[in-house]
Amino acid sequence: MKDGNMKRKLLAGAAAFVIVAAVVLGGIKLYRIHQMNQSGILLAFDDYSEDSWRANFELFSEYGAKVTFFVNLSEPTEFCYDAEKEGHEIGFHTVEHVNLKEATEEAVYQQAIAPIEVFRKEGIELTTFAYPYGAQTEQLDEMLLEHYNVVRGAYHLELHGKHELRKGFVDSMSLDNANFDSQEAYEQKIMEVLNELKGGKGRVASFYSHVIGDGEWCISTDRLEFLLRKAKEMGLQFYTFQELQYW
């Protein structure tokens, strides 16, 4: 009799475990589908503006935004490590902001490829490259994509599916103050893009700027916060390029 009760208890426990496991796995699957369908934004900052970038770590954190910093450096700085600790990505932008369309093959190697190993030895993996001046060619893409997962252009907006961000060329739209006649024009363009993202599934828009400030080739803090706030209100996710390469 005791053996029968014990068997029934074991069977009941096993059944309960199976049910719980199914619920958990089902929840994970549903969450994964939600993640795959969630559209979002790739936000990047080019060149090297440590003071303005670091000063906005708290703002990024407030809105849950992870960004990519495309740096002009010969080796990692303390900023690079601090940015990664905040969840951001360090991408590369050549050592000296060189127009690669005008560079020799050896200069391309020294400016854009050789630093990968330098950074790797110092604990930072470079997997994304942004062309200075947006100076890109198919030949350069072919050369650089042997060493990077993704290379990024400039000046153009194109919505991409998440799967497209694993490997290849990605275009990007500048948010620099110089590109908008007014705050109204900026907000209108941002809302146009965000609404298009919101209306689709698993799509991503790539934006970039340089310094966070009031100059022409900067994005003002007010404009940056407008983008962060509206994206959060609309349930859009901020991704790093590297994050989507391993999606």
Side-chain angles (χ1 to χ4, degrees), residues 16-63:
F17 175 79
V18 170
I19 292 171
V20 170
V23 170
V24 170
L25 292 174
I28 291 172
K29 184 176 180 180
L30 288 173
Y31 178 66
R32 184 65 176 167
I33 292 172
H34 169 72
Q35 284 187 312
M36 291 175 64
N37 288 338
Q38 188 174 26
S39 294
I41 296 162
L42 291 161
L43 179 59
F45 298 88
D46 294 0
D47 302 348
Y48 191 72
S49 178
E50 177 176 349
D51 291 344
S52 81
W53 295 349
R54 186 186 291 276
N56 285 278
F57 277 176
E58 188 173 333
L59 182 64
F60 295 135
S61 179
E62 178 182 348
Y63 289 98

Side-chain angles (χ1 to χ4, degrees), residues 154-217:
Y155 310 126
H156 302 289
L157 175 68
E158 181 180 349
L159 300 189
H160 300 271
K162 285 183 180 177
H163 65 281
E164 298 176 56
L165 275 298
R166 292 174 182 163
K167 187 75 176 177
F169 174 78
V170 177
D171 226 329
S172 192
M173 173 183 158
S174 171
L175 296 182
D176 286 339
N177 297 326
N179 295 313
F180 301 94
D181 294 332
S182 65
Q183 180 73 14
E184 182 181 2
Y186 169 83
E187 292 182 4
Q188 182 177 344
K189 183 61 179 179
I190 292 299
M191 292 309 301
E192 176 187 317
V193 177
L194 297 190
N195 283 321
E196 192 170 353
L197 285 173
K198 184 67 175 176
K201 290 184 178 180
R203 295 192 295 179
V204 181
S206 176
F207 297 123
Y208 74 97
S209 188
H210 299 87
V211 180
I212 301 171
D214 295 324
E216 286 191 345
W217 307 113

Side-chain angles (χ1 to χ4, degrees), residues 76 119-120 145 156 165 169 216 237-239:
F119 275 68
R120 180 177 292 131
L145 285 170
H156 302 289
L165 275 298
F169 174 78
E216 286 191 345
Q237 184 77 26
F238 282 90
Y239 300 103

